[in-house]
Amino acid sequence: MDALDRARHDLVDRLIEADRIERQSTERAMRAVPRHAFVPDERREAAYRDRPLPIGEGQTISAPHMVATMTDLLAPDAGDRILEVGTGCGYHAAVTSDIVGADGTVHSVEVEPALAERARERLDRLGYDVHVHVGDGHAGWPNAAPYDGAYLTCAPESIPDTVVEQVRPGAHVVAPVGRRRQELVRLTRRADGGVDRESHGGVRFVPMRRSDS
Ligand code: SAH
């Protein structure tokens, strides 16, 4: 095990110690996915500190504890088909992909073509089966719906109905919501067509853009 691998396991140990990781599948994925391979070269040494990092085009990769929390809330299982909005560098998608495994699929929509292209190339090289699409996540990705879960890594003012409609009954949608003040929200689509909403505290994410703005 080299120094970066050891640093990753130390980080996961600290997150567990701080009760930031609940599910075993989340822990396994966070131990497995090399976050340092997703950040710019000059940031590699910082990859296993628990903080966000710039990834180019004015965007940031979330802090590891935030990826862990969102993954616990989404609660994906092996074999699931998951929708991500906001591919960024592809790290969070890789964590999800690790959990859903070879029988599952991750579809990820990214509005910024340069980021999508780099993430696609990187995920491919590292062997993650993630389908990266360029587009505005307000429309979700209808071609592969229905999903067993969906999450956004950019903050809309309210979670787009279109995305909620693309998950099956019983599935979760996890997203940061709001403008300046944001909260992490988990919606659960009910069988009767209604939606349950829980708040999971204050967060800070980049705003969700409209592709025409
Ligand atoms: N999950 C990412 C973090 C991405 S940061 C990671 O692990 O790196 C949020 C991303 O959302 C940015 O890449 C940004 O370009 C993208 N984004 C913003 N508005 C969007 C929209 N309307 N549709 C899709 N992606 C969007």
Side-chain angles (χ1 to χ4, degrees):
M1 205 187 280
D2 72 10
L4 286 167
D5 292 332
R6 210 166 10 249
R8 181 169 63 258
H9 286 288
D10 288 347
L11 168 66
V12 176
D13 289 344
R14 288 196 302 277
L15 292 175
I16 290 169
E17 189 75 16
D19 283 331
R20 296 282 207 174
I21 300 181
E22 279 176 15
R23 303 184 91 224
Q24 243 177 37
S25 56
T26 304
E27 174 188 342
R28 269 201 302 271
M30 304 264 321
R31 288 195 189 280
V33 180
R35 189 171 188 258
H36 65 266
F38 290 84
V39 303
D41 282 348
E42 66 276 16
R43 303 277 180 180
R44 284 197 155 202
E45 301 307 317
Y48 299 115
R49 292 187 207 146
D50 189 19
R51 55 169 218 209
L53 287 174
I55 53 172
E57 318 296 329
Q59 303 301 324
T60 52
I61 173 176
S62 306
H65 78 265
M66 188 51 59
V67 174
T69 296
M70 291 181 72
T71 306
D72 276 340
L73 288 173
L74 186 69
D77 289 315
D80 279 358
R81 180 198 300 261
I82 302 292
L83 172 66
E84 173 184 78
V85 173
T87 318
C89 67
Y91 170 71
H92 197 156
V95 169
T96 308
S97 174
D98 187 271
I99 294 172
V100 302
D103 294 334
T105 331
V106 179
H107 287 270
S108 184
V109 183
E110 170 58 52
V111 75
E112 175 58 52
L115 286 176
E117 186 49 45
R118 285 207 293 275
R120 188 183 285 132
E121 183 272 325
R122 178 183 296 120
L123 287 160
D124 205 48
R125 177 163 43 82
L126 295 170
Y128 293 101
D129 180 22
V130 175
H131 303 261
V132 178
H133 310 286
V134 176
D136 183 343
H138 284 94
W141 190 256
N143 297 4
Y147 298 98
D148 299 300
Y151 62 96
L152 281 62
T153 69
C154 46
E157 278 175 58
S158 64
I159 300 180
D161 289 340
T162 317
V163 172
V164 180
E165 285 157 12
Q166 288 176 14
V167 304
R168 63 164 172 76
H172 303 303
V173 179
V174 178
V177 177
R179 269 215 169 144
R180 276 194 206 86
R181 292 169 61 93
Q182 301 169 1
E183 55 175 356
L184 188 62
V185 169
R186 177 168 74 174
L187 302 183
T188 305
R189 191 170 185 192
R190 293 199 310 255
D192 66 7
V195 172
D196 293 325
R197 188 183 201 274
E198 299 162 12
S199 174
H200 291 272
V203 291
R204 241 182 86 173
F205 281 73
V206 299
M208 185 172 186
R209 287 195 271 147
R210 298 261 169 204
S211 56
D212 57 0
S213 69

Short mmCIF file of all heavy atoms in Angstrom, two decimals, residues 54-110:
data_model
loop_
_atom_site.label_atom_id
_atom_site.label_comp_id
_atom_site.label_asym_id
_atom_site.label_seq_id
_atom_site.Cartn_x
_atom_site.Cartn_y
_atom_site.Cartn_z
N PRO A 54 -10.85 22.50 -5.67
CA PRO A 54 -11.18 22.99 -7.01
C PRO A 54 -10.83 21.96 -8.08
O PRO A 54 -9.82 21.26 -7.98
CB PRO A 54 -10.29 24.24 -7.17
CG PRO A 54 -9.27 24.18 -6.09
CD PRO A 54 -9.74 23.22 -5.05
N ILE A 55 -11.70 21.83 -9.09
CA ILE A 55 -11.46 20.85 -10.17
C ILE A 55 -11.46 21.49 -11.54
O ILE A 55 -11.55 20.81 -12.56
CB ILE A 55 -12.53 19.73 -10.14
CG1 ILE A 55 -13.95 20.32 -10.15
CG2 ILE A 55 -12.33 18.83 -8.93
CD1 ILE A 55 -15.05 19.28 -10.32
N GLY A 56 -11.39 22.83 -11.59
CA GLY A 56 -11.38 23.51 -12.89
C GLY A 56 -12.76 24.03 -13.27
O GLY A 56 -13.77 23.60 -12.71
N GLU A 57 -12.79 24.97 -14.23
CA GLU A 57 -14.04 25.58 -14.71
C GLU A 57 -14.84 26.19 -13.55
O GLU A 57 -16.06 26.27 -13.60
CB GLU A 57 -14.94 24.58 -15.45
CG GLU A 57 -14.26 23.62 -16.41
CD GLU A 57 -13.59 24.32 -17.60
OE1 GLU A 57 -14.10 25.39 -18.03
OE2 GLU A 57 -12.57 23.81 -18.09
N GLY A 58 -14.13 26.61 -12.48
CA GLY A 58 -14.80 27.26 -11.36
C GLY A 58 -15.63 26.31 -10.50
O GLY A 58 -16.41 26.74 -9.66
N GLN A 59 -15.45 25.01 -10.68
CA GLN A 59 -16.25 24.03 -9.94
C GLN A 59 -15.41 23.37 -8.85
O GLN A 59 -14.19 23.44 -8.88
CB GLN A 59 -16.82 22.97 -10.89
CG GLN A 59 -17.65 23.56 -12.02
CD GLN A 59 -18.84 24.36 -11.51
OE1 GLN A 59 -19.45 24.01 -10.50
NE2 GLN A 59 -19.15 25.45 -12.19
N THR A 60 -16.10 22.71 -7.91
CA THR A 60 -15.37 22.03 -6.83
C THR A 60 -15.92 20.62 -6.62
O THR A 60 -17.08 20.34 -6.88
CB THR A 60 -15.50 22.78 -5.48
OG1 THR A 60 -16.89 23.00 -5.22
CG2 THR A 60 -14.78 24.10 -5.49
N ILE A 61 -15.03 19.76 -6.17
CA ILE A 61 -15.41 18.41 -5.75
C ILE A 61 -15.77 18.52 -4.26
O ILE A 61 -15.06 19.18 -3.50
CB ILE A 61 -14.23 17.43 -6.00
CG1 ILE A 61 -14.48 16.04 -5.44
CG2 ILE A 61 -12.93 17.95 -5.43
CD1 ILE A 61 -13.31 15.07 -5.80
N SER A 62 -16.87 17.92 -3.86
CA SER A 62 -17.33 18.03 -2.47
C SER A 62 -16.34 17.38 -1.52
O SER A 62 -15.58 16.50 -1.90
CB SER A 62 -18.68 17.32 -2.29
OG SER A 62 -19.62 17.79 -3.20
N ALA A 63 -16.40 17.81 -0.25
CA ALA A 63 -15.57 17.18 0.78
C ALA A 63 -16.00 15.71 0.93
O ALA A 63 -17.17 15.38 0.77
CB ALA A 63 -15.75 17.90 2.10
N PRO A 64 -15.04 14.84 1.26
CA PRO A 64 -15.36 13.41 1.42
C PRO A 64 -16.53 13.14 2.38
O PRO A 64 -17.37 12.29 2.08
CB PRO A 64 -14.05 12.82 1.95
CG PRO A 64 -12.99 13.70 1.35
CD PRO A 64 -13.58 15.08 1.34
N HIS A 65 -16.62 13.88 3.50
CA HIS A 65 -17.73 13.58 4.42
C HIS A 65 -19.08 13.85 3.77
O HIS A 65 -20.07 13.21 4.09
CB HIS A 65 -17.58 14.33 5.75
CG HIS A 65 -17.98 15.77 5.69
ND1 HIS A 65 -17.06 16.79 5.47
CD2 HIS A 65 -19.18 16.37 5.79
CE1 HIS A 65 -17.71 17.94 5.45
NE2 HIS A 65 -18.99 17.72 5.64
N MET A 66 -19.11 14.84 2.85
CA MET A 66 -20.38 15.17 2.19
C MET A 66 -20.77 14.06 1.19
O MET A 66 -21.95 13.70 1.08
CB MET A 66 -20.24 16.53 1.49
CG MET A 66 -21.52 17.08 0.91
SD MET A 66 -22.91 17.12 2.07
CE MET A 66 -22.25 18.17 3.36
N VAL A 67 -19.77 13.53 0.48
CA VAL A 67 -20.04 12.41 -0.43
C VAL A 67 -20.55 11.22 0.39
O VAL A 67 -21.52 10.55 0.01
CB VAL A 67 -18.78 12.04 -1.23
CG1 VAL A 67 -19.01 10.78 -2.06
CG2 VAL A 67 -18.37 13.21 -2.13
N ALA A 68 -19.93 10.98 1.55
CA ALA A 68 -20.34 9.87 2.41
C ALA A 68 -21.78 10.05 2.89
O ALA A 68 -22.60 9.13 2.80
CB ALA A 68 -19.40 9.74 3.60
N THR A 69 -22.10 11.26 3.36
CA THR A 69 -23.45 11.52 3.87
C THR A 69 -24.50 11.35 2.77
O THR A 69 -25.54 10.72 2.97
CB THR A 69 -23.54 12.97 4.43
OG1 THR A 69 -22.66 13.05 5.55
CG2 THR A 69 -24.95 13.32 4.85
N MET A 70 -24.20 11.91 1.59
CA MET A 70 -25.17 11.81 0.49
C MET A 70 -25.35 10.36 0.05
O MET A 70 -26.45 9.94 -0.31
CB MET A 70 -24.73 12.69 -0.68
CG MET A 70 -24.84 14.18 -0.36
SD MET A 70 -24.37 15.24 -1.74
CE MET A 70 -25.75 15.00 -2.87
N THR A 71 -24.25 9.59 0.10
CA THR A 71 -24.34 8.19 -0.30
C THR A 71 -25.14 7.39 0.72
O THR A 71 -25.98 6.56 0.35
CB THR A 71 -22.91 7.61 -0.48
OG1 THR A 71 -22.19 8.45 -1.40
CG2 THR A 71 -22.96 6.19 -1.04
N ASP A 72 -24.92 7.66 1.99
CA ASP A 72 -25.73 7.01 3.03
C ASP A 72 -27.22 7.34 2.85
O ASP A 72 -28.08 6.47 2.97
CB ASP A 72 -25.29 7.47 4.43
CG ASP A 72 -24.09 6.68 4.95
OD1 ASP A 72 -23.82 5.57 4.46
OD2 ASP A 72 -23.44 7.18 5.89
N LEU A 73 -27.53 8.61 2.56
CA LEU A 73 -28.93 9.02 2.41
C LEU A 73 -29.58 8.42 1.17
O LEU A 73 -30.75 8.04 1.17
CB LEU A 73 -29.05 10.55 2.35
CG LEU A 73 -28.79 11.29 3.66
CD1 LEU A 73 -28.76 12.80 3.41
CD2 LEU A 73 -29.86 10.95 4.70
N LEU A 74 -28.81 8.33 0.09
CA LEU A 74 -29.34 7.74 -1.14
C LEU A 74 -29.55 6.23 -0.96
O LEU A 74 -30.50 5.67 -1.50
CB LEU A 74 -28.36 8.00 -2.30
CG LEU A 74 -28.84 7.57 -3.68
CD1 LEU A 74 -30.00 8.44 -4.15
CD2 LEU A 74 -27.70 7.61 -4.69
N ALA A 75 -28.64 5.61 -0.19
CA ALA A 75 -28.72 4.17 0.13
C ALA A 75 -28.82 3.28 -1.11
O ALA A 75 -29.74 2.46 -1.20
CB ALA A 75 -29.87 3.92 1.10
N PRO A 76 -27.89 3.43 -2.05
CA PRO A 76 -27.94 2.58 -3.23
C PRO A 76 -27.53 1.15 -2.89
O PRO A 76 -26.78 0.92 -1.95
CB PRO A 76 -26.90 3.22 -4.17
CG PRO A 76 -25.95 3.94 -3.28
CD PRO A 76 -26.74 4.35 -2.05
N ASP A 77 -28.04 0.20 -3.66
CA ASP A 77 -27.69 -1.21 -3.49
C ASP A 77 -27.07 -1.74 -4.77
O ASP A 77 -27.24 -1.15 -5.85
CB ASP A 77 -28.95 -2.04 -3.18
CG ASP A 77 -29.48 -1.76 -1.79
OD1 ASP A 77 -28.65 -1.72 -0.84
OD2 ASP A 77 -30.70 -1.57 -1.66
N ALA A 78 -26.40 -2.89 -4.65
CA ALA A 78 -25.84 -3.55 -5.83
C ALA A 78 -26.96 -3.77 -6.85
O ALA A 78 -28.07 -4.16 -6.47
CB ALA A 78 -25.19 -4.86 -5.43
N GLY A 79 -26.68 -3.50 -8.10
CA GLY A 79 -27.65 -3.74 -9.16
C GLY A 79 -28.54 -2.54 -9.47
O GLY A 79 -29.29 -2.56 -10.45
N ASP A 80 -28.46 -1.47 -8.66
CA ASP A 80 -29.32 -0.30 -8.88
C ASP A 80 -28.90 0.50 -10.11
O ASP A 80 -27.74 0.51 -10.52
CB ASP A 80 -29.28 0.64 -7.67
CG ASP A 80 -30.20 0.18 -6.54
OD1 ASP A 80 -30.89 -0.85 -6.71
OD2 ASP A 80 -30.21 0.86 -5.49
N ARG A 81 -29.89 1.21 -10.64
CA ARG A 81 -29.66 2.18 -11.72
C ARG A 81 -29.85 3.56 -11.12
O ARG A 81 -30.92 3.88 -10.59
CB ARG A 81 -30.71 1.94 -12.81
CG ARG A 81 -30.61 2.84 -14.01
CD ARG A 81 -31.92 2.81 -14.76
NE ARG A 81 -32.24 1.47 -15.23
CZ ARG A 81 -32.02 1.05 -16.48
NH1 ARG A 81 -31.52 1.86 -17.37
NH2 ARG A 81 -32.33 -0.17 -16.83
N ILE A 82 -28.79 4.36 -11.14
CA ILE A 82 -28.79 5.64 -10.41
C ILE A 82 -28.54 6.80 -11.37
O ILE A 82 -27.72 6.71 -12.29
CB ILE A 82 -27.68 5.65 -9.33
CG1 ILE A 82 -27.85 4.49 -8.33
CG2 ILE A 82 -27.64 7.00 -8.60
CD1 ILE A 82 -29.07 4.57 -7.42
N LEU A 83 -29.23 7.91 -11.13
CA LEU A 83 -29.02 9.15 -11.87
C LEU A 83 -28.27 10.16 -11.01
O LEU A 83 -28.69 10.44 -9.88
CB LEU A 83 -30.37 9.75 -12.29
CG LEU A 83 -30.31 11.15 -12.93
CD1 LEU A 83 -29.60 11.10 -14.28
CD2 LEU A 83 -31.72 11.73 -13.08
N GLU A 84 -27.17 10.69 -11.56
CA GLU A 84 -26.45 11.79 -10.90
C GLU A 84 -26.58 13.04 -11.77
O GLU A 84 -26.42 12.95 -12.98
CB GLU A 84 -24.96 11.43 -10.75
CG GLU A 84 -24.12 12.60 -10.21
CD GLU A 84 -22.63 12.29 -10.14
OE1 GLU A 84 -21.96 12.34 -11.21
OE2 GLU A 84 -22.13 11.99 -9.05
N VAL A 85 -26.81 14.19 -11.15
CA VAL A 85 -26.78 15.46 -11.88
C VAL A 85 -25.59 16.26 -11.35
O VAL A 85 -25.54 16.57 -10.16
CB VAL A 85 -28.09 16.25 -11.70
CG1 VAL A 85 -27.96 17.65 -12.32
CG2 VAL A 85 -29.26 15.50 -12.31
N GLY A 86 -24.62 16.57 -12.25
CA GLY A 86 -23.41 17.28 -11.86
C GLY A 86 -22.24 16.31 -11.72
O GLY A 86 -21.85 15.93 -10.63
N THR A 87 -21.68 15.91 -12.85
CA THR A 87 -20.58 14.92 -12.86
C THR A 87 -19.32 15.49 -12.25
O THR A 87 -18.59 14.77 -11.55
CB THR A 87 -20.24 14.49 -14.30
OG1 THR A 87 -21.44 14.27 -15.05
CG2 THR A 87 -19.39 13.22 -14.31
N GLY A 88 -19.04 16.77 -12.51
CA GLY A 88 -17.79 17.38 -12.04
C GLY A 88 -16.61 16.57 -12.50
O GLY A 88 -16.44 16.27 -13.68
N CYS A 89 -15.77 16.16 -11.55
CA CYS A 89 -14.58 15.38 -11.91
C CYS A 89 -14.90 13.87 -11.98
O CYS A 89 -14.05 13.08 -12.37
CB CYS A 89 -13.46 15.64 -10.91
SG CYS A 89 -13.82 15.02 -9.26
N GLY A 90 -16.09 13.49 -11.53
CA GLY A 90 -16.47 12.08 -11.62
C GLY A 90 -16.26 11.27 -10.36
O GLY A 90 -16.60 10.09 -10.31
N TYR A 91 -15.70 11.90 -9.31
CA TYR A 91 -15.39 11.14 -8.09
C TYR A 91 -16.64 10.54 -7.44
O TYR A 91 -16.70 9.34 -7.15
CB TYR A 91 -14.64 12.02 -7.08
CG TYR A 91 -14.53 11.33 -5.73
CD1 TYR A 91 -13.69 10.24 -5.55
CD2 TYR A 91 -15.30 11.75 -4.64
CE1 TYR A 91 -13.61 9.58 -4.33
CE2 TYR A 91 -15.23 11.10 -3.42
CZ TYR A 91 -14.39 10.01 -3.27
OH TYR A 91 -14.33 9.36 -2.06
N HIS A 92 -17.65 11.40 -7.23
CA HIS A 92 -18.86 10.92 -6.55
C HIS A 92 -19.53 9.81 -7.39
O HIS A 92 -19.99 8.80 -6.85
CB HIS A 92 -19.80 12.12 -6.35
CG HIS A 92 -20.89 11.91 -5.35
ND1 HIS A 92 -21.50 12.94 -4.69
CD2 HIS A 92 -21.51 10.78 -4.94
CE1 HIS A 92 -22.43 12.45 -3.88
NE2 HIS A 92 -22.46 11.14 -4.02
N ALA A 93 -19.52 10.00 -8.70
CA ALA A 93 -20.09 8.98 -9.59
C ALA A 93 -19.34 7.66 -9.45
O ALA A 93 -19.95 6.58 -9.48
CB ALA A 93 -20.03 9.46 -11.04
N ALA A 94 -18.02 7.72 -9.27
CA ALA A 94 -17.22 6.50 -9.11
C ALA A 94 -17.58 5.79 -7.81
O ALA A 94 -17.68 4.56 -7.77
CB ALA A 94 -15.73 6.85 -9.14
N VAL A 95 -17.82 6.57 -6.75
CA VAL A 95 -18.22 5.98 -5.46
C VAL A 95 -19.56 5.25 -5.64
O VAL A 95 -19.73 4.10 -5.21
CB VAL A 95 -18.31 7.07 -4.36
CG1 VAL A 95 -18.98 6.53 -3.10
CG2 VAL A 95 -16.91 7.60 -4.03
N THR A 96 -20.49 5.91 -6.30
CA THR A 96 -21.81 5.29 -6.54
C THR A 96 -21.67 4.04 -7.41
O THR A 96 -22.27 3.00 -7.14
CB THR A 96 -22.75 6.31 -7.21
OG1 THR A 96 -22.76 7.51 -6.44
CG2 THR A 96 -24.17 5.75 -7.30
N SER A 97 -20.85 4.16 -8.44
CA SER A 97 -20.64 3.05 -9.36
C SER A 97 -20.03 1.84 -8.65
O SER A 97 -20.41 0.68 -8.90
CB SER A 97 -19.74 3.50 -10.51
OG SER A 97 -19.41 2.43 -11.34
N ASP A 98 -19.11 2.11 -7.74
CA ASP A 98 -18.49 1.04 -6.96
C ASP A 98 -19.56 0.26 -6.18
O ASP A 98 -19.50 -0.96 -6.06
CB ASP A 98 -17.46 1.64 -6.00
CG ASP A 98 -16.65 0.58 -5.28
OD1 ASP A 98 -17.09 0.13 -4.19
OD2 ASP A 98 -15.60 0.19 -5.81
N ILE A 99 -20.56 0.97 -5.68
CA ILE A 99 -21.61 0.33 -4.87
C ILE A 99 -22.61 -0.44 -5.73
O ILE A 99 -22.98 -1.56 -5.41
CB ILE A 99 -22.35 1.38 -4.00
CG1 ILE A 99 -21.37 1.95 -2.96
CG2 ILE A 99 -23.57 0.75 -3.31
CD1 ILE A 99 -21.92 3.12 -2.16
N VAL A 100 -23.04 0.16 -6.83
CA VAL A 100 -24.06 -0.54 -7.65
C VAL A 100 -23.44 -1.72 -8.41
O VAL A 100 -24.15 -2.66 -8.78
CB VAL A 100 -24.82 0.40 -8.61
CG1 VAL A 100 -25.51 1.51 -7.83
CG2 VAL A 100 -23.93 0.96 -9.70
N GLY A 101 -22.12 -1.66 -8.61
CA GLY A 101 -21.41 -2.82 -9.15
C GLY A 101 -21.71 -3.12 -10.61
O GLY A 101 -22.36 -2.33 -11.31
N ALA A 102 -21.25 -4.26 -11.05
CA ALA A 102 -21.32 -4.62 -12.47
C ALA A 102 -22.76 -4.80 -12.94
O ALA A 102 -23.05 -4.61 -14.14
CB ALA A 102 -20.52 -5.89 -12.72
N ASP A 103 -23.67 -5.15 -12.04
CA ASP A 103 -25.06 -5.34 -12.45
C ASP A 103 -25.87 -4.04 -12.41
O ASP A 103 -27.03 -4.01 -12.80
CB ASP A 103 -25.76 -6.36 -11.54
CG ASP A 103 -25.15 -7.74 -11.71
OD1 ASP A 103 -24.60 -8.01 -12.80
OD2 ASP A 103 -25.19 -8.53 -10.74
N GLY A 104 -25.26 -2.98 -11.89
CA GLY A 104 -25.95 -1.69 -11.82
C GLY A 104 -25.41 -0.73 -12.87
O GLY A 104 -24.51 -1.06 -13.62
N THR A 105 -26.00 0.48 -12.88
CA THR A 105 -25.57 1.50 -13.84
C THR A 105 -25.66 2.87 -13.19
O THR A 105 -26.59 3.14 -12.44
CB THR A 105 -26.52 1.59 -15.06
OG1 THR A 105 -27.12 0.34 -15.29
CG2 THR A 105 -25.78 2.08 -16.28
N VAL A 106 -24.71 3.73 -13.55
CA VAL A 106 -24.81 5.13 -13.16
C VAL A 106 -24.88 5.98 -14.42
O VAL A 106 -24.03 5.85 -15.31
CB VAL A 106 -23.61 5.58 -12.30
CG1 VAL A 106 -23.73 7.06 -11.93
CG2 VAL A 106 -23.50 4.72 -11.04
N HIS A 107 -25.90 6.83 -14.50
CA HIS A 107 -26.00 7.83 -15.56
C HIS A 107 -25.75 9.17 -14.92
O HIS A 107 -26.36 9.49 -13.88
CB HIS A 107 -27.39 7.81 -16.20
CG HIS A 107 -27.59 6.62 -17.08
ND1 HIS A 107 -27.27 6.63 -18.42
CD2 HIS A 107 -28.02 5.38 -16.79
CE1 HIS A 107 -27.52 5.43 -18.93
NE2 HIS A 107 -27.97 4.65 -17.96
N SER A 108 -24.84 9.96 -15.49
CA SER A 108 -24.50 11.24 -14.90
C SER A 108 -24.59 12.34 -15.95
O SER A 108 -24.04 12.22 -17.04
CB SER A 108 -23.09 11.18 -14.30
OG SER A 108 -22.79 12.40 -13.66
N VAL A 109 -25.30 13.41 -15.60
CA VAL A 109 -25.50 14.52 -16.53
C VAL A 109 -24.67 15.72 -16.07
O VAL A 109 -24.76 16.12 -14.91
CB VAL A 109 -27.00 14.93 -16.58
CG1 VAL A 109 -27.22 16.04 -17.59
CG2 VAL A 109 -27.87 13.73 -16.91
N GLU A 110 -23.87 16.26 -16.98
CA GLU A 110 -23.01 17.42 -16.67
C GLU A 110 -23.25 18.52 -17.71
O GLU A 110 -23.23 18.26 -18.90
CB GLU A 110 -21.53 16.98 -16.68
CG GLU A 110 -20.51 18.10 -16.62
CD GLU A 110 -20.65 19.02 -15.39
OE1 GLU A 110 -20.70 18.50 -14.27
OE2 GLU A 110 -20.72 20.24 -15.59
#
